[in-house]
């Protein structure tokens, strides 16, 4: 489904991504691990069309999307949950969810969709009219994922969903990710610093270091790789 | 204490304040969404007033028709300005400063264009509402009542549209977080175009409503743009309800200060308040 | 050392060309050139805030005007009697009015900067604008002290008498041009030394990333305040020259039109460059004059020209010229390289 | 770093090439004694004051054409008018005057219709020995007696005001609101002119600074003035675009007797605004408009023939007057006066005023041509009607340079009910 070939991205003179190639297949959960500043978020932003690559190809279901504007990419079914949630803090939970579905015009269907989101995150259902800025960190993360689900994604790009969450909530979140995959068949590209969690969830993984992919393979293979063990699992 | 005079000043102050609010709200929209100062906003307002006045007073066109034409031209000017002036430099480094200069150039251009087209002579419009009643010795002019009624209605509709409609919410979303607005699939360029169009409609509406009260000339824009800045800042960025309250208060305070303290420094009040607000409550007085 | 010398040589050549510019021209062109140099000093001072500090200030015109007004009020003397409604006759000579006006601007810059530099972005711009408008209003209204809207008339010509030297009197645009040139060269030299100093590097670091620079121990507020004060003082220097040149000053000099001119000159020329503002001042003075072929349309054309320039060269003219030159040189070098290979 | 240097040199060279192209005009060889007399018109053709400047330029163009059709001046030399814009900005006025003198090489200058503009440029014109005629707002005492070759056509504040006071005192007015904007020099003159006269005539004066420094609506200020409840509300203003608003405000506030100190721009506007207000009285400082003056009759006819419109009064007729004073003066002097200011001075003062017999102007001590009378016009039934002539009164003792102590003009000091 998603195919990235020899992607290069620059920030001014900084070469942020160097010849990155990867693939996410239908219904697969792929994780991208790497330290801070390795270029993980840049990769997601490039897939989402926020950042334009200097060279390389991003393909989605056979269509080149690296030149498309971000809203077209969302309408193709690639939705990102950005790092640090990036909600609309001065709007209510409901409004945030509605905006998640702003590309669909069918409001009746949207209501169903909101119920679907609430079935994953019950807390949100209780806080529909609260301002998003006043939610707790975990609730905000739920809302961010919920907002992304409102767009009916085929591929979900999750950027550090566990960041700053208590371990218990982190576990909940992991469960939701599993459920999403199982029940909805959504492909997920998960970016995580918490390599343990990520590799536990994922089918396959990539390790990104200073803009290049250094190791890739199945989750098991990565879990057993020396480099990953040493650098990311702290073993 | 002369209460009739006090009431008169309150009436004048509030109606001036309504004008400030109506004018400033468009600036607030653009400032909120794009984070830029549109120096040419005063000229959008001027174009609205001039087109309307010229059509009504010189060409003898029906009020409503003239207003519709003025609005249509206003929208076109707004969208063209966005397309031709702001969008080409959007996202470039020093974007804010560059748009500041670009819109400054646009304002010089539009004011002089209006002079070439209509001349710099002030045009005065009288409407069927241009009459005065004097209950209790207070002069109440019909045009000011019209300003209150239509202006209030426009502001109310705007607030409703902003908070209820999906498009209005998209505008708000773009104002609050541009990146995540793009990530949920909002077409930012379209939102900016809509925002600019909306702001210019509001400027034109305020121009049309003010034309019978203030008369119109090509250089009326700079006279209000500074008031707009004050309102935008004191209210807090992107805050519509705050802008309306601050606009009304500004007009009121100026009138009362001019009457009872020092008329030659009435303008200073606004700047003084702006400085104090920025220093002690930089997020604005009315944080939602 | 060698590089420094080469640099110096260029500046000497440039100064020489600049010195030759008014020769043989009529007074009108000399006047425009003199005005350009004075406004260039003003633009350079504004560039310190906008270009080197990366901050907004919409109140810079206040310092320009304050510098001018200080001269106006202090230099009036018996000679101006009957030409001014002001009761002042202090008749301070140039060597006293110059430090006085610089001091007034430095103090004003320090105070306004101290209060407003806690802000950033557009907010800083508007708070400084607020201060400038208050000063403007006071100038208009306190007419017993400032002359009101009619301004200060009858400022004596620039006359500098130093012991052991002949009296220097500048009463024509031609002679004033060279005085302004000296001031401009001094300003450019001063700013170039400033930007190369530790202080200047700290400013650039702050501009690029305030948080990181602060984390590294740069006291942002202190540096900003210092730079703001310097910028205000230099604006006062420009106001000083302006006031002595026109020998008449009105509240326009601290009104909003002088903000627009500063913005136009600096951004059109190129922010953060040493010679961009000078080119900007030249354009600001000369382009409306070129448009005098159509007197009624000249501002219309000027407004349109501003928009066009900023759309196509959002960085300003000078940086674009440099990169254009870059490309030209590169292409030539490439060609040379190819030719070299062929000949081998 | 090196390429930068090249760029710099290239730019400076470009500048030095560009500079001489400005201000270089091909000089045509003309037979000596037949070259045109060039007269520079320094007017505001851009900016908020262009409503005056463009009309003035139009009227002056008609005047030039008419003189040329009649065979020119000084033995058949044609007159050539050169319009230069100053936009009502001081340093632009200096630039425009420099352009006119040193680039266009004019023989004389007309224009600079504001105190600040003439103050900024007077020295340049005087040093270049170019005669100049000013026809706009004037501070009392200008031109100075020493200003040879500098003329002023129009009103003198002190005479206008003294005539005005005489008139209103006769009508029984004992208290007066004087409302002036805070952006013109009138406020300054206020203390210098109005206060001494008011003392002299025993009129109670309510000073009021109104009008915008960027205020779109000054009705709160007018309401304050109206509340003084004086016998007469006198509006003093410069900025024409405010006049209709001011009059509308007077109407709205129900001020019984309202007068303006100066003329108004067009009859149409004013009538449109105050059609029913019989109390509104406007003095005309361009007295010719309503007088049977041959020059002004010419003006009206020439303007109507050219444009099909009624002649605009206000500064426009002053400009017309200034132009004719200048060309008749040149004729009388036998020279253009450039380089010989004394000649033009004598010429203008001795001009036969061949079309100005019975002229309503007079010379003041300092060499200005001012109107002898102020014409009062009232709006009656939608038309201007001349209701009387006020002879210019004497100047008050020592009005200029006498600065009243601060606080004299403290606005609101006498506010009733406080």
């Amino acid at each position: 489904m998603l195919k990235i070939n020899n992607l290069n991205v620059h920030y001014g003179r900084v070469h942020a991504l160097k010849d990155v190639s990867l693939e996410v297949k239908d219904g697969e959960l792929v994780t991208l691990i790497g330290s801070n500043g390795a270029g993980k978020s840049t990769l997601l932003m490039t897939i989402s069309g926020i950042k334009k690559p200097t060279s390389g190809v991003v393909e989605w279901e056979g269509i080149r999307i690296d030149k498309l504007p971000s809203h077209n990419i969302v309408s193709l079914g690639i939705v990102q949950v950005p790092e640090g949630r990036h909600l609309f803090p001065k709007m209510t939970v409901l409004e945030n969810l509605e905006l998640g579905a702003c590309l669909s015009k069918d409001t009746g269907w949207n209501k169903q969709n909101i119920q679907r989101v609430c079935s994953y995150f019950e807390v949100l259902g209780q806080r529909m009219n609260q301002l998003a800025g006043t939610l707790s960190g975990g609730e905000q993360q739920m809302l961010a994922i919920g907002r992304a689900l409102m767009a009916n994604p085929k591929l979900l790009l999750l950027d550090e969903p566990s960041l700053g969450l208590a371990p218990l909530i982190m576990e909940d979140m992991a469960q939701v990710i599993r459920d999403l995959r199982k029940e909805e068949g959504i492909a997920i590209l998960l970016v995580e610093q918490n390599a343990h969690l990520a590799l536990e969830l994922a089918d396959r993984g990539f390790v990104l270091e200073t803009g290049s992919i250094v190791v890739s393979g199945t989750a098991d293979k990565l879990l057993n790789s020396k480099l990953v063990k040493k650098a990311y699992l702290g073993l | 204490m002369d209460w009739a005079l006090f009431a008169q000043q309150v009436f004048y102050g509030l109606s001036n304040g309504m004008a400030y609010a109506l004018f400033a709200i468009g600036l607030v929209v653009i400032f909120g969404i794009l984070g830029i100062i549109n120096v040419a906003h005063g000229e959008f307002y001027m174009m609205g007033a001039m087109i309307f006045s010229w059509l009504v007073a010189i060409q003898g066109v029906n009020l409503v028709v003239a207003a519709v034409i003025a609005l249509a031209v206003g929208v076109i000017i707004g969208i063209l300005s966005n397309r031709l002036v702001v969008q080409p430099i959007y996202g470039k480094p020093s974007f804010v400063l560059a748009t500041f200069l670009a819109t400054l150039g646009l304002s010089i251009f539009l004011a002089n264009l209006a002079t070439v087209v209509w001349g710099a002579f002030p045009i005065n419009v009288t409407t069927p509402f241009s009459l005065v009643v004097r209950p209790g010795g207070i002069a109440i002019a019909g045009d000011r009542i019209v300003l209150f009624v239509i202006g209030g209605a426009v502001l109310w509709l705007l607030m409703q549209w902003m908070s209820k409609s999906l498009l209005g919410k998209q505008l708000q979303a773009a104002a609050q977080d541009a990146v995540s607005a793009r990530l949920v699939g909002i077409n930012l360029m379209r939102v900016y175009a809509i925002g600019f169009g909306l702001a210019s409609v509001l400027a034109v509406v305020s121009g049309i409503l003010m034309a019978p009260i203030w008369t119109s000339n090509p250089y009326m824009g700079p006279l209000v743009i500074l008031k707009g800045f004050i309102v935008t800042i004191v209210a807090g960025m992107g805050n519509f309800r705050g802008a309306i309250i601050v606009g009304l208060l500004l007009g009121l305070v100026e009138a009362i200060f001019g009457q009872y303290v020092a008329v030659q420094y009435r303008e200073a009040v606004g700047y003084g308040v702006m400085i104090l607000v920025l220093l002690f409550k930089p997020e604005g007085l009315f944080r939602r | 050392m060698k590089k420094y010398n080469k640099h110096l040589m260029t500046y000497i050549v440039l100064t020489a060309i600049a010195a030759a510019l008014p020769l043989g021209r009529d007074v009108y062109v000399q006047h425009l050139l003199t005005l350009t140099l004075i406004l260039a000093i003003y633009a350079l001072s504004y560039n310190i805030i906008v270009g080197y500090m990366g901050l907004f200030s919409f109140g810079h015109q206040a310092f320009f005007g304050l510098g001018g007004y200080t001269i106006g009020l202090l230099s009036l003397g018996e000679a101006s009697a009957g030409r001014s409604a002001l009761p002042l006759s202090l008749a301070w000579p140039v060597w006293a009015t110059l430090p006085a006006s610089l001091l007034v601007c430095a103090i004003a810059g320090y105070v306004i900067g101290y209060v407003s530099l806690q802000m950033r972005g557009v907010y800083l711009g508007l708070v400084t604008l607020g201060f400038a408008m208050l000063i403007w209003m006071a100038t208009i209204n306190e007419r017993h002290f400032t002359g009101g809207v009619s301004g200060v008339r009858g400022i004596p010509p620039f006359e500098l008498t130093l012991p052991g030297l002949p009296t220097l009197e500048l009463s024509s645009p031609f002679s004033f041009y060279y005085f302004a040139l000296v001031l401009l060269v001094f300003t450019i030299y001063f700013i170039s030394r400033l930007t190369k100093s530790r202080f200047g590097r700290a400013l650039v670091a702050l501009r690029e990333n305030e948080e990181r620079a602060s984390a590294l121990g740069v006291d942002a507020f202190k540096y900003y305040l210092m730079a703001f004060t310097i910028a205000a003082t230099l604006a006062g220097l420009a106001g000083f020259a302006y006031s002595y040149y026109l020998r008449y000053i009105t509240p326009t000099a601290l009104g909003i039109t002088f903000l627009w001119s500063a913005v136009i000159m600096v951004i059109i020329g190129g922010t953060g460059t040493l010679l961009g503002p000078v080119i900007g001042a030249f354009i600001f003075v000369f382009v409306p004059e070129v448009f005098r072929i159509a007197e009624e349309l000249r501002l219309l054309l000027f407004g349109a020209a501003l928009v066009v320039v900023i759309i196509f060269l959002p960085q300003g003219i000078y940086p674009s010229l440099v990169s254009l030159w870059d490309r030209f040189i590169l292409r030539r070098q490439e060609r040379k390289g190819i030719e070299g290979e062929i000949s081998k | 770093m090196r390429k930068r240097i090249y760029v710099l040199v290239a730019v400076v060279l470009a500048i030095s090439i560009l500079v001489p192209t400005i201000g270089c005009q091909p000089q045509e060889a003309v037979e000596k004694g037949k070259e045109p007399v060039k007269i520079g018109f320094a007017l505001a053709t851009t900016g908020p004051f262009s409503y005056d400047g463009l009309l003035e330029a139009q009227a002056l163009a008609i005047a030039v054409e008419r003189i040329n059709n009649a065979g020119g001046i000084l033995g058949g030399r044609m007159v050539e008018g050169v319009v230069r814009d100053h936009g009502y900005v001081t340093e632009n006025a200096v630039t425009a005057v420099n352009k006119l003198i040193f680039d266009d090489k004019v023989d004389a200058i007309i224009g600079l219709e504001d105190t600040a503009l003439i103050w900024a440029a007077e020295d340049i014109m005087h040093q270049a020995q170019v005669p100049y005629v000013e026809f706009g707002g004037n501070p009392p005492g200008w031109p100075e007696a020493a200003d040879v070759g500098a003329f002023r056509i129009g009103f003198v504040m002190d005479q206008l005001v003294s005539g005005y006071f005489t008139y209103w005192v006769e009508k029984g007015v004992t208290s007066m609101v004087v409302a002036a904007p805070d952006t013109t020099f009138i406020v300054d003159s206020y203390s210098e002119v109005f206060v001494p006269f008011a003392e002299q005539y025993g009129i109670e004066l309510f000073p009021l600074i109104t009008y915008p420094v960027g205020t779109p609506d000054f009705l709160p200020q007018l309401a304050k003035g109206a509340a003084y409840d004086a016998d007469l509300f006198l509006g003093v203003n410069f900025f024409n675009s405010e006049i209709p608003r001011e009059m509308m405000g007077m109407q709205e506030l129900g001020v019984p007797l309202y007068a303006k100190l100066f003329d108004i721009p067009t009859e149409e506007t004013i009538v449109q605004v105050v059609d029913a207000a019989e109390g509104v009285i406007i003095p005309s400082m361009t007295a010719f408009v309503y007088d049977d003056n041959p020059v002004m009759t010419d003006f009206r006819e020439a303007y109507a023939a050219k444009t099909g419109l009624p002649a605009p009064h206000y500064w426009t007729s002053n400009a017309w007057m200034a132009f004719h004073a200048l060309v008749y003066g040149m004729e009388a002097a036998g020279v253009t006066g450039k380089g010989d200011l004394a000649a033009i001075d004598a010429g203008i003062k001795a001009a036969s005023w061949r079309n100005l017999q019975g002229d309503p102007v007079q010379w003041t001590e300092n060499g200005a041509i001012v109107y002898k009378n102020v014409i009062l016009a009232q709006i009656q039934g939608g038309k201007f009607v001349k209701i009387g002539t006020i002879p210019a009164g004497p100047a008050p003792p020592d009005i200029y340079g006498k600065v009243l102590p601060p606080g004299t003009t403290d606005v609101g000091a006498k506010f009733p009910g406080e």
Side-chain angles (χ1 to χ4, degrees), chain D residues 75-301:
Chain D
R77 286 174 71 180
M78 293 291 118
V79 175
E80 189 187 327
V82 186
V83 178
R84 291 294 171 208
D85 172 47
H86 57 60
Y88 243 79
V89 179
T90 38
E91 72 263 18
N92 291 355
V94 173
T95 304
V97 163
N98 271 316
K99 171 105 183 157
L100 283 171
I101 294 176
F102 299 107
D103 189 31
D104 299 324
K105 303 206 164 32
V106 296
D107 295 294
I109 290 176
I110 294 178
L112 302 166
E113 325 87 310
D114 183 64
T115 312
L117 306 180
I118 198 82
W119 277 359
E122 57 181 344
D123 284 344
I124 301 165
M125 295 187 286
H126 216 77
Q127 274 167 22
Q129 294 276 293
V130 172
Y132 53 112
V133 188
E134 197 257 9
F135 58 84
N138 301 283
W142 192 92
E144 288 155 37
D147 285 346
V148 179
F151 296 95
R152 167 167 45 144
I153 301 284
F155 63 97
V156 175
M157 187 80 177
D158 47 6
Q159 292 190 319
L160 187 66
V161 172
S162 76
Y164 218 60
F165 271 79
T166 328
Y167 178 85
W168 291 112
V169 167
E170 268 176 30
K171 298 279 180 220
V173 165
T174 57
S175 59
M176 198 186 277
V177 170
V178 178
D182 51 4
T183 46
T184 79
F185 92 104
I186 296 280
V187 179
D188 297 2
S189 315
Y190 167 81
S191 57
E192 288 144 10
V193 182
F194 283 87
V195 175
F197 274 123
E199 279 169 9
Q200 197 175 324
Y201 288 94
I203 282 188
E204 193 183 6
L205 211 56
F206 299 103
L208 178 72
I209 295 172
T210 64
Y211 301 1
V213 184
T215 321
D217 187 355
F218 45 77
L219 263 170
Q221 288 84 266
L222 292 190
K224 180 174 184 172
Y228 285 124
D229 214 14
D231 293 340
L232 173 73
F233 195 113
L234 180 63
V236 182
N237 75 319
F238 256 17
F239 196 45
N240 265 350
S241 66
E242 262 122 47
I243 299 176
R245 267 153 52 187
E246 187 192 10
M247 307 203 96
M248 281 151 62
M250 291 299 113
Q251 236 181 326
E252 193 173 318
L253 291 163
V255 171
L257 187 58
Y258 169 63
K260 284 210 67 62
L261 191 64
F262 297 143
D263 203 343
I264 35 73
T266 67
E267 216 163 304
E268 240 172 63
T269 316
I270 217 69
V271 167
Q272 189 192 349
V273 175
V274 286
D275 209 359
E278 299 287 323
V280 177
I281 295 172
I282 296 105
S284 168
M285 71 180 165
T286 47
F288 307 99
V289 177
Y290 306 106
D291 256 6
D292 288 330
N293 176 292
V295 172
M296 284 302 124
T297 313
D298 275 355
F299 174 46
R300 282 197 293 270
E301 281 169 5

Side-chain angles (χ1 to χ4, degrees), chain C residues 196-232:
Chain C
K196 287 196 187 83
S197 69
R198 216 180 75 85
F199 177 75
R201 286 199 302 272
L203 274 187
V204 171
L206 281 171
R207 180 185 67 188
E208 297 306 327
N209 192 336
E210 188 175 336
E211 274 171 40
R212 212 169 73 192
S214 301
L216 290 172
V218 178
D219 184 350
F221 183 76
K222 201 182 88 187
Y223 279 91
Y224 279 156
L225 184 57
M226 186 78 177
F228 195 85
T229 311
I230 291 172

Side-chain angles (χ1 to χ4, degrees), chain A residues 45 48-50 70-71 74 79-80 82 86-91 95 98-104 131 147, chain B residues 162-164 166 168-174 176-188 237 287-288:
Chain A
M45 286 298 177
S48 282
I50 307 283
S70 49
H71 56 98
V74 173
V79 185
Q80 188 186 152
H86 276 287
L87 298 170
F88 303 118
K90 291 176 188 170
M91 289 198 213
E95 284 171 328
E98 276 175 12
L99 281 167
C102 70
L103 286 175
S104 91
L131 290 187
R147 188 180 68 183
Chain B
M162 273 291 187
S163 58
K164 297 277 157 67
L166 189 59
K169 282 177 189 168
Q170 290 190 19
L171 250 66
Q172 285 195 46
Q176 287 174 22
D177 193 326
V179 170
S180 52
R182 289 177 72 182
L183 288 177
V184 299
I186 293 173
N187 182 350
L188 220 51
M237 176 165 146
R287 198 177 177 183
R288 187 172 142 181

Side-chain angles (χ1 to χ4, degrees), chain A residues 95-207:
Chain A
E95 284 171 328
N96 267 278
L97 290 177
E98 276 175 12
L99 281 167
C102 70
L103 286 175
S104 91
K105 298 211 164 64
D106 189 345
T107 45
W109 189 84
N110 278 349
K111 271 180 195 145
Q112 268 184 357
N113 220 347
I114 288 175
Q115 276 169 6
R116 189 187 82 173
V117 169
C118 291
S119 71
Y120 288 109
F121 307 107
E122 280 164 22
V123 201
L124 293 183
Q126 299 154 14
R127 303 191 184 243
M128 274 301 166
N129 293 317
Q130 200 173 326
L131 290 187
T134 61
L135 296 176
S136 73
E139 288 163 351
Q140 287 195 6
Q141 187 60 56
M142 291 176 199
L143 180 54
I145 296 176
R147 188 180 68 183
L149 286 179
M150 289 297 291
N152 275 357
K154 292 179 195 160
L155 171 65
L156 199 59
L157 309 174
L158 285 174
D159 199 348
E160 308 268 1
S162 71
L163 193 72
L165 295 186
L168 217 69
I169 301 171
M170 216 194 291
E171 199 37 59
D172 283 354
M173 209 60 77
Q175 190 53 48
V176 168
I177 293 171
R178 279 188 206 107
D179 289 351
L180 281 176
R181 244 194 104 191
K182 219 181 275 166
E183 287 169 27
E184 315 227 352
I186 299 173
I188 295 175
L189 179 55
L190 173 69
V191 161
E192 260 299 342
Q193 256 182 312
N194 186 341
H196 263 300
L197 182 76
L199 290 174
E200 193 186 308
L201 289 170
D203 303 327
R204 289 190 299 128
F206 294 86
V207 176

Side-chain angles (χ1 to χ4, degrees), chain B residues 96-154:
Chain B
V96 178
L97 209 57
T99 41
F100 189 73
L101 180 59
T103 52
L104 173 63
L106 183 65
S107 77
I108 297 174
F109 177 79
L110 285 177
N112 283 282
L113 182 70
T115 314
V116 170
V117 176
W118 296 293
F121 199 79
I123 306 177
N124 177 48
V125 177
T126 33
T127 68
F129 310 101
S130 303
L131 23 101
V132 183
V133 287
R134 291 196 174 75
I138 307 162
I140 307 248
D143 287 325
R144 283 166 197 273
I145 301 293
V146 171
L147 166 68
F148 266 115
V149 173
I150 298 185
V154 167

